[in-house]
Structures are given as C-alpha cells and as structure tokens.
Amino acid sequence: MLEPVAWEDTGSLGPGLFENKNFERAIKSQSAAFPRAAVAGPLPNRLSGSARASAQPTEFLVRMFPFSKKDLRGGGACRPTPALQSGLHWHAVCGAPPRQWPMGMSDRESEHMISARFTKSVTLAALTALALHVGSGRASAESVLRVAMTAADIPDYTGAPDQGYEGYRFAGYTIYDALALWDLSSSDKAAGITPGLATSWTVDPQNNKRWIYKLRQGVTFHDGCAWNADSAIWNFARVMDPKSSGYNPRHVGQMGTYVVNVASVDKIDDYTIAINTKMPSSLFPYEMAMYYMISNCAVQKAGNDYNLYAQHPSGTGPYKFDKVVPHERLELVKNDRYWNPQRIPKQDRLVLLPMPEASTRAAALLSGQVDFVEAPSPDTIPRLKAAGMNIVMVPYPHNWDYLLRADVPPFNDIRVRQAANYAMNRQDMVDMLQGVAVAADETLIKTQPWYGKPVAYDYDPEKAKALLTEAKCMPCTIKVGISTSGSGQMQPLPMNELVKEQLEAVGFKVNLEPMDWNALIGVFLAGSKKSDYNAINFSMAPIDPVQGILKKWMTDYAPPACCNWGAFTDPKIDKLGAEALGEFDEGKRNALLTKMNEQAVADASELYIVHDLNPRALSPKLSGFVQAQSWFQDLTPIVVHP
C-alpha cells in the first residue's frame, strides 16, 4: 500500500470533490477533464493512465485537488504534497491532461464545465474522513446519526442560516431555539407553532401593536449563559440596531425580514418583554418562530467577532456544536440538559454532510456511509427500497414554481402569466418524477385553511398560444434563473428542462441560466429589480399565511422588506392583507386570507407547477422518525440501532 500522498499545482480554480460514475473510462481517456485525483477505495494497485478500475462506482471515492486550466490543456506538473487526511492510504493518480477541449469548446464554456463538475459533489472527502471518524474507538461507543443534505456547502451555524430552509432545518433548529417553535410531532396535518423560549404571548388589549411575551425560566445557553429578557433584547438588537455591539450585517440579510415590522422591544421584568410592532400584526407570532436566539455571552466573549464566535457557537437547542470541517461536515452532540426532556436527542452525535448530487447521496446510503438522505432522486428510489431502505413521503407546504417579474414585460401582462400557466402539463412533471410530487394549482396545499376555491389553470396549450398572440408576445422571450441543487429545489435540472419544453411548445423562448443555490438565494433576496431575470425557479415555503400569502404578494413586502421578488402588486390583495393583519379573530382573519389567496391565483401571480412530497430515504438501522408536514423536521426522536 502506498504512503498517503496528494497532488497539487500552482494554479487554482479552488478545491472540488467529484464522484466519477465511470472512472475507468475517464482515467483511460486522453480527454479526461480531471488530471489530478487521489482515490480512496479498494483498488489494489496504483492507477495510471491505462488504469485498472474494476470497482463498482459506489465502492470508491475520488477527491479532486486544485488545478488550473493550463494543467487541463497540457501544462503544469503533478507533484506530491503531504496528505490532507492523515492515516488514510490513498491510491495516487496523475492522469494525462487533455490537449484541447472537445468540439471547439470556448474558454468560458470549459470553465463552466469545470465548475459544473466541481459542484456535482462537495463532500466525497467528507465521507472518507467520516469513515475514519466512525471507525475510531470513540465513534464505536457513540450512536451517530449521519445525514446527507442537498446543500452544496455547510449552512451557516451562527444563528442566521443560509442554504435556504434546509439550513434552518439542520443548522438552525438543531442548535438554536426561537420564542415559538414548530410542532413537528405529527404527519397528519400541516405544522403549527407551539411555545419555545416563550411560554405564552398575548396582544395588549389596550394596544394592538404591542405583544407581551412571557419567557421560559430556568433555561441556559450551551455555554452556561442565562436566557432572560436581557438576552432576548440583545438578540433583537443584533439585527435591528447598527449601534449595538453585537450588530451583525450578515444576520440582518438573513433574519431581518422576521423583524421588519418590529419597532422596539421593552423589558417589563427579567422574564417578560413587550414587542412593539410598526402596525397591527395579528400574525406576528409566526415571525417569532423563525428568529433564533443566540448566546449574547458567547458573542461578547469573542469580542463581538462573529468569526471567533463561529468557533464556539452557543444556542439553547437540543444539539450542541462540537466541530466543523469546512466544506465537509458539521458535527453536533446532544444537549442532555435540554429544557424539554421529551426532545433530548436519542443519538449521541449528529453529523451533517453537504451532498448536492442526488446520485452521491444514494450511493452513500447504499454503502453505509450515511444513514439519512434528503431528497433521493426518483430513479434511485426502487433500488433504495430493494436494498431495504425506508422511503418516507408526506405532503407539506411547498411549491416548486416560477416567481415572475410582474413590473416589466412580458409578465406585467396578465395574459402572458396566464399563458404560462395554461402551458403546463403538470401531470407530465409528476410522471417524470415517478410520483414524488403532486400537481400544483396554487401556492398552498389543501390541508391549509386558506386554500379556498381558486381558479384552475388546466393544461390547455391552444389557449396559451391564443393568449400570447393576443398579448403580441410571440415568440415571448424570457430569461429564467435556476439552481443546480438546493433546499426544496427537488431535481431542478431535468424539471426545468421539461418546463422549458412545455413553455416553448406554446410560443415562449426560454433561456435557462443555472447557478449555485446560494447564488440564487442572493438573486431572490435582492429582488427582481437588481437583476435581468424575468423569472426565477425558487421553491418557497408557504408554511404559514405570513410567508405563504402576505409577504409573497403584498406590495409593501417587495425586497428588501421580504419576499415579493417580482414586484407584484394588486390593490385588492393589499387591502385584504391590511384587513387580515388588523383582525385578531382567527375565523374572520382566515376568511380574509382565503380571499387573498384566491385573488393571487386569479392574477396568475406565479407559474404554478408542482408540490413536493418531500421524499427521504432512511437506513433500516433508524427508527422513531416522524416526517412532519413542514420544511422543518425533528431529528431528536431518531434511534440509531447497531
């Protein structure tokens, strides 16, 4: 066995990790795009340009190291360096670089190809490191739950997650709590909110812009800092007050939308605060289920340097931070002193691995390298089932759609928006996904009380053509931003190709522009006026009427206030929304929200396509998981059996 070696060069496009499904052909080919590789696996001898590679794709890992395009075009020289993974015996490879890119590919196209292949999987080395970790004596004494996420990188874990709601799911509600939490205990109904770090909240009967929150007593952060009114007020200031010592501009970008209606926060006593809103907001408690409380003591100990805080982050959640390997894995351990005894984790350690490539996640589960997989691709589900894996699916508030820019042509014309909706053969999409989705008639799902009786845009390509002709938009050219993976994005590349095909069949001309998920989140947060996209494929979370209706369609919630990306406006919706926010009777408020939702559908305010059924694949070693009708899930009940 060779000593551990890795390869590097002086150029850099940045490190990447890639699982090659046809390794033998790639190594043998003179046009292989990857001249630098270190291979961990069962291969008996060192590989060369005419390598023997008889192992199955799931039996080995390939780690790519930094290289520059001059290397790929024939320049540069491989040279060994100290191994990145001590104790790992690598089979070292230095394949022959290609002389030219195929079919006259341009420099820009070749760079895009490199980038695309890099982003296929960011975590193969993490699996190798994880295999070493769980093979250690400590790991054998622990129960370890290993989760493969769809995220391309580790979500921020300092109390303001990125990577979409997957970041909230795995790096938010694990480490941190909010004043309210989501009740994730049932698969039978859409999740609602329940007390968290606050035991109760009521609107002041004398002032409907003042909410009184009673805080939970006896709770401490993981670092021992006390949870009380002072820490609560500090947490609001870190996002709301630029003069606060704990102010964090990045947290403002991620969490500011949840406090956009907060005017001030007052301390009544050590365990009671009053939150004053800028306008009546009967749905305000939903916002407080999304706003994490972090340890003010830990930030202050770090000198208000959030980079230092990230080395020892501290919340009150059921898991505590243990360690992170950048771009590879985040490790949490159970908080055995969690304030809710029923939610003390039933595992000792939770390991979170970013794996944006669906085939990589499936291979990792089949080979026993992970236990829990997010969003397996439909074509892998039969194989996973045959191997004894448990597949769980339930509907949840999710919409895989196109947000449309409604303030400029062509989607400022309702006829064009309607035409796009009539062009959709949603059942074709469901069939392509092999039943892991349902057709979407609107943003909400039927188990939510504001669904109503919206108009339906049944598949009618002739009507779509007629509407485009009437709107004098034939062909109707649009540019659509899409992601290559990401939280809630399902299988975005093949799905978007099908949408493109259906739209073009009726007269649209669609230019799809793929990007990393976090880049697309940036486009969304900036708002449509900051880019040249006519639409973005951005799955959203209508988990409550604030996120699913009010902030999505009211004029006042255009970025940076929140989520009306396309600058959509309808005075009827704005009027109904204002009435709903000022209505504290739940029944009357729900009636107003239902009318709002029905009007948004009548306006064809977005392109409705499908709702995800949220498939997950679990090892048969796991028990106790309850899949909630929510973007968020509770991992604490999961038992890992030997």
Side-chain angles (χ1 to χ4, degrees), residues 159-161 164-165 168 173 182 236 239-240 251-262 275 277 281 283-292 525 541 543-544 546-547 551 557 560-563 632:
Y165 273 178
Y168 285 64
Y173 292 107
W182 296 94
F236 283 99
V239 170
M240 294 175 56
H251 284 204
V252 175
Q254 295 296 128
M255 308 300 287
T257 179
Y258 305 121
V259 294
V260 70
N261 193 29
V262 175
I275 303 177
T277 59
S281 183
L283 296 164
F284 180 74
Y286 284 107
E287 307 268 40
M288 293 297 95
M290 307 294 292
Y291 192 81
Y292 300 121
L525 292 175
I543 53 180
D544 59 60
V546 178
Q547 307 298 323
K551 288 189 173 181
Y557 289 112
C562 189
C563 314
F632 315 122

Side-chain angles (χ1 to χ4, degrees), residues 20 45 106 126 190 199 227 235 270 354 358 375 407 453 486 491 527-528 551 569 575:
N20 194 326
N45 297 304
S106 69
T199 56
W227 160 251
N235 268 278
D270 284 348
D407 64 327
K453 297 179 180 179
Q491 311 299 323
S528 60
K551 288 189 173 181
T569 185
K575 182 175 182 295

Side-chain angles (χ1 to χ4, degrees), residues 100-115:
Q100 63 182 15
W101 293 101
M103 297 180 292
M105 186 181 292
S106 69
D107 286 358
R108 183 175 180 181
E109 289 169 331
S110 65
E111 288 169 356
H112 177 74
M113 187 175 89
I114 295 169
S115 175

Side-chain angles (χ1 to χ4, degrees), residues 159-492:
D162 53 9
Q163 301 287 344
Y165 273 178
E166 189 172 47
Y168 285 64
R169 181 159 63 244
F170 292 122
Y173 292 107
T174 49
I175 303 172
Y176 302 99
D177 290 316
L179 293 178
L181 294 173
W182 296 94
D183 182 357
L184 306 173
S185 61
S186 172
S187 298
D188 299 329
K189 59 184 179 180
I193 57 174
T194 190
L197 288 178
T199 56
S200 67
W201 48 85
T202 55
V203 68
D204 188 333
Q206 306 302 317
N207 181 357
N208 65 3
K209 294 192 293 183
R210 183 176 173 87
W211 285 86
I212 308 301
Y213 275 77
K214 293 287 187 180
L215 305 184
R216 191 175 297 277
Q217 300 187 31
V219 177
T220 58
F221 290 96
H222 302 151
D223 62 346
C225 186
W227 160 251
N228 53 33
D230 292 330
S231 54
I233 291 172
W234 180 91
N235 268 278
F236 283 99
R238 72 181 162 94
V239 170
M240 294 175 56
D241 183 4
K243 296 180 180 179
S244 169
S245 60
Y247 183 73
N248 186 323
R250 203 201 71 80
H251 284 204
V252 175
Q254 295 296 128
M255 308 300 287
T257 179
Y258 305 121
V259 294
V260 70
N261 193 29
V262 175
S264 61
V265 184
D266 302 325
K267 178 179 177 179
I268 296 176
D269 61 40
D270 284 348
Y271 290 98
T272 310
I273 60 173
I275 303 177
N276 304 295
T277 59
K278 297 174 183 177
M279 61 182 181
S281 183
S282 61
L283 296 164
F284 180 74
Y286 284 107
E287 307 268 40
M288 293 297 95
M290 307 294 292
Y291 192 81
Y292 300 121
M293 300 293 167
I294 73 177
S295 170
N296 51 305
C297 299
V299 174
Q300 290 160 356
K301 184 177 179 180
N304 297 306
D305 183 335
Y306 279 85
N307 291 322
L308 290 178
Y309 169 75
Q311 298 176 17
H312 302 284
S314 179
T316 61
Y319 294 91
K320 298 185 292 185
F321 173 86
D322 183 51
K323 66 177 69 172
V324 65
V325 179
H327 314 301
E328 291 187 5
R329 70 184 187 273
L330 172 64
E331 296 195 27
L332 312 177
V333 293
K334 76 174 177 181
N335 177 10
D336 54 12
R337 301 182 65 183
Y338 187 55
W339 56 264
N340 182 352
Q342 295 180 345
R343 294 193 62 236
I344 293 175
K346 290 183 168 54
Q347 333 90 39
D348 297 309
R349 182 174 296 271
L350 173 62
V351 181
L352 302 167
L353 297 148
M355 290 190 200
E357 177 64 29
S359 61
T360 304
R361 296 193 297 274
L365 182 61
L366 288 166
S367 62
Q369 293 168 315
V370 300
D371 312 298
F372 184 113
V373 165
E374 292 281 287
S377 62
D379 58 345
T380 64
I381 288 177
R383 184 181 175 197
L384 293 171
K385 286 182 176 178
M389 305 302 166
N390 295 316
I391 307 297
V392 292
M393 290 189 289
V394 297
Y396 73 121
H398 167 281
N399 53 303
W400 195 92
D401 62 358
Y402 278 18
L403 302 181
L404 309 176
R405 182 169 184 184
D407 64 327
V408 297
F411 288 125
N412 63 335
D413 190 324
I414 188 173
R415 294 169 296 186
V416 178
R417 300 197 301 269
Q418 290 174 333
N421 274 284
Y422 283 120
M424 287 296 98
N425 187 336
R426 297 169 179 85
Q427 189 57 47
D428 270 5
M429 183 70 78
V430 171
D431 292 343
M432 186 190 78
L433 294 170
Q434 301 181 44
V436 301
V438 294
D441 298 313
E442 58 162 278
T443 298
L444 305 178
I445 61 173
K446 291 182 179 179
T447 56
Q448 294 179 283
W450 322 286
Y451 186 87
K453 297 179 180 179
V455 299
Y457 295 100
D458 296 328
Y459 177 52
D460 192 337
E462 296 306 315
K463 189 168 186 175
K465 292 176 185 177
L467 284 165
L468 288 182
T469 301
E470 183 182 330
K472 296 182 173 57
C473 195
M474 180 73 83
C476 205
T477 301
I478 59 172
K479 181 179 178 181
V480 183
I482 69 172
S483 70
T484 54
S485 65
S487 172
Q489 294 294 90
M490 302 178 70
Q491 311 299 323

Side-chain angles (χ1 to χ4, degrees), residues 61-188:
L61 305 173
V62 180
R63 175 155 190 174
M64 306 309 300
F65 294 99
F67 59 87
S68 63
K69 189 166 11 162
K70 70 182 179 69
D71 297 312
L72 296 179
R73 293 189 181 276
C78 297
R79 51 190 174 88
T81 64
L84 300 183
Q85 301 288 349
S86 60
L88 177 64
H89 295 286
W90 291 94
H91 302 281
V93 178
C94 183
R99 298 183 183 277
Q100 63 182 15
W101 293 101
M103 297 180 292
M105 186 181 292
S106 69
D107 286 358
R108 183 175 180 181
E109 289 169 331
S110 65
E111 288 169 356
H112 177 74
M113 187 175 89
I114 295 169
S115 175
R117 294 196 181 186
F118 266 15
T119 58
K120 270 199 168 187
S121 176
V122 201
T123 55
L124 272 298
L127 291 177
T128 301
L130 181 63
L132 294 173
H133 170 76
V134 299
S136 68
R138 183 187 67 182
S140 63
E142 288 182 319
S143 61
V144 182
L145 174 61
R146 302 161 299 173
V147 175
M149 304 180 290
T150 69
D153 204 349
I154 295 167
D156 178 273
Y157 48 88
T158 65
D162 53 9
Q163 301 287 344
Y165 273 178
E166 189 172 47
Y168 285 64
R169 181 159 63 244
F170 292 122
Y173 292 107
T174 49
I175 303 172
Y176 302 99
D177 290 316
L179 293 178
L181 294 173
W182 296 94
D183 182 357
L184 306 173
S185 61
S186 172
S187 298
D188 299 329

